Amino acid sequence: MTALTTVADPEAVAARAATRIASLIAQARERRGVAHVALAGGGTPRRAYELLAGLVERWDGVELWFGDERCVAPDDEQSNYRMVREALLSRIAIDDAGVHRVRGELGPERAARDYARELCERVATDASGTPVLDVAVHGLGPDGHTASLFPGQPSLGVRDQLAVGVAEAGLEPFVPRVSLTLTALTGGRHVVVLAEGPSKAGALAAAFGPRAVPGPEVPASMLAPETRDLTVLIDARAAAGLDLGGTAR
Ligand code: 6PG
């Protein structure tokens, strides 16, 4: 099921996303004693993570993962881990063992192998052997990419692996990446996509609009057909002029 919600502005996107993620964390921990959450990188989710820090009272039983990472040092300004550390980890009490950083500094292939192994070791799997994340948070690039799955790249066709090395990013920062594959990203229970601003309007329509045709030219469009529960939160600027059939709030 895909629920697309248009809210007034970026702060409202962040607030709705933080509330949704906190609720899914509580639900997972109540039902299974643990919540596995894969966080998106980039800039859009930063504010949502800052708000999330204040919405979850205790972080024991929460395990944080990353949907993708740039192959840079963890203190590099391009590091998704650094952004999450600044926006979230620095504001909460969570054990180091509950934060699974992608060691991108090892290079895309080695880092992807190590990360996939860690996922398999820590996350309960479904009948197909795929680890079932409780929440996967996604951003959306203006080219329709999500995580580090870029239009037309071979990584989109990798379905027998959980993580993949991406030698050439399709959008800045043009550094090698590690990305969860569609198998890992859609094998979870819930996906939450955040997008805001006019630069994302075209990608939103192509990915989630009523005339979207799922396919590798718009990687984010490949989420909906395989995701059990998809929430798309966008602001009015991103939705402007789009016939998304969304519900303005
Ligand atoms: C990354 C992200 C990427 C991001 C989009 C949108 O590592 O860059 O995971 O998928 O979500 O590029 O980025 P913004 O939120 O900065 O627009």
Side-chain angles (χ1 to χ4, degrees):
M1 178 194 80
T2 300
L4 189 146
T5 301
T6 305
V7 292
D9 54 36
E11 184 67 14
V13 170
R16 292 292 292 267
T19 302
R20 177 73 174 148
I21 297 165
S23 166
L24 292 172
I25 286 175
Q27 181 185 96
R29 198 163 47 188
E30 182 183 325
R31 291 181 180 176
R32 290 174 292 278
V34 63
H36 288 284
V37 182
L39 299 173
T44 302
R46 179 187 283 267
R47 180 60 179 146
Y49 298 160
E50 291 172 353
L51 296 174
L52 180 64
L55 293 181
V56 177
E57 287 183 16
R58 38 184 271 272
W59 289 84
D60 57 290
V62 180
E63 302 218 8
L64 300 176
W65 302 83
F66 291 79
D68 68 329
E69 184 56 280
R70 291 81 177 270
C71 291
V72 296
D75 58 359
D76 187 295
E77 63 179 11
Q78 292 182 337
S79 164
N80 287 337
Y81 169 80
R82 174 174 164 174
M83 182 275 284
V84 169
R85 188 188 67 214
E86 291 170 352
L88 180 61
L89 304 183
S90 61
R91 304 164 189 262
I92 63 175
I94 187 169
D95 290 346
D96 290 345
V99 182
H100 304 278
R101 184 177 71 83
V102 181
R103 295 185 296 166
E105 65 275 17
L106 299 177
E109 298 309 320
R110 165 81 188 279
R113 277 198 310 276
D114 290 355
Y115 193 53
R117 184 182 314 117
E118 194 172 349
L119 260 175
C120 283
E121 288 169 357
R122 296 286 303 183
V123 184
T125 59
D126 61 16
S128 72
T130 301
V132 181
L133 293 166
D134 293 289
V135 189
V137 183
H138 285 256
L140 176 70
D143 61 347
H145 84 262
T146 193
S148 282
L149 300 174
F150 294 97
Q153 290 200 357
S155 56
L156 288 159
V158 176
R159 302 310 306 261
D160 61 347
Q161 303 293 327
L162 297 172
V164 64
V166 178
E168 293 184 22
L171 209 61
E172 71 274 0
F174 292 104
V175 295
R177 312 286 190 89
V178 174
S179 183
L180 288 184
T181 58
L182 282 171
T183 300
L185 291 171
T186 61
R189 293 183 175 86
H190 303 281
V191 170
V192 180
V193 176
L194 292 69
E196 59 198 40
S199 71
K200 307 296 176 73
L204 277 165
F208 306 110
R211 285 177 292 282
V213 177
E217 289 317 305
V218 184
S221 71
M222 300 173 79
L223 293 173
E226 299 185 33
T227 299
R228 306 178 197 177
D229 172 67
L230 173 62
T231 301
V232 181
L233 297 168
I234 66 176
D235 73 345
R237 294 176 304 156
L242 292 177
D243 174 17
L244 281 171
T247 308
R249 305 278 178 165

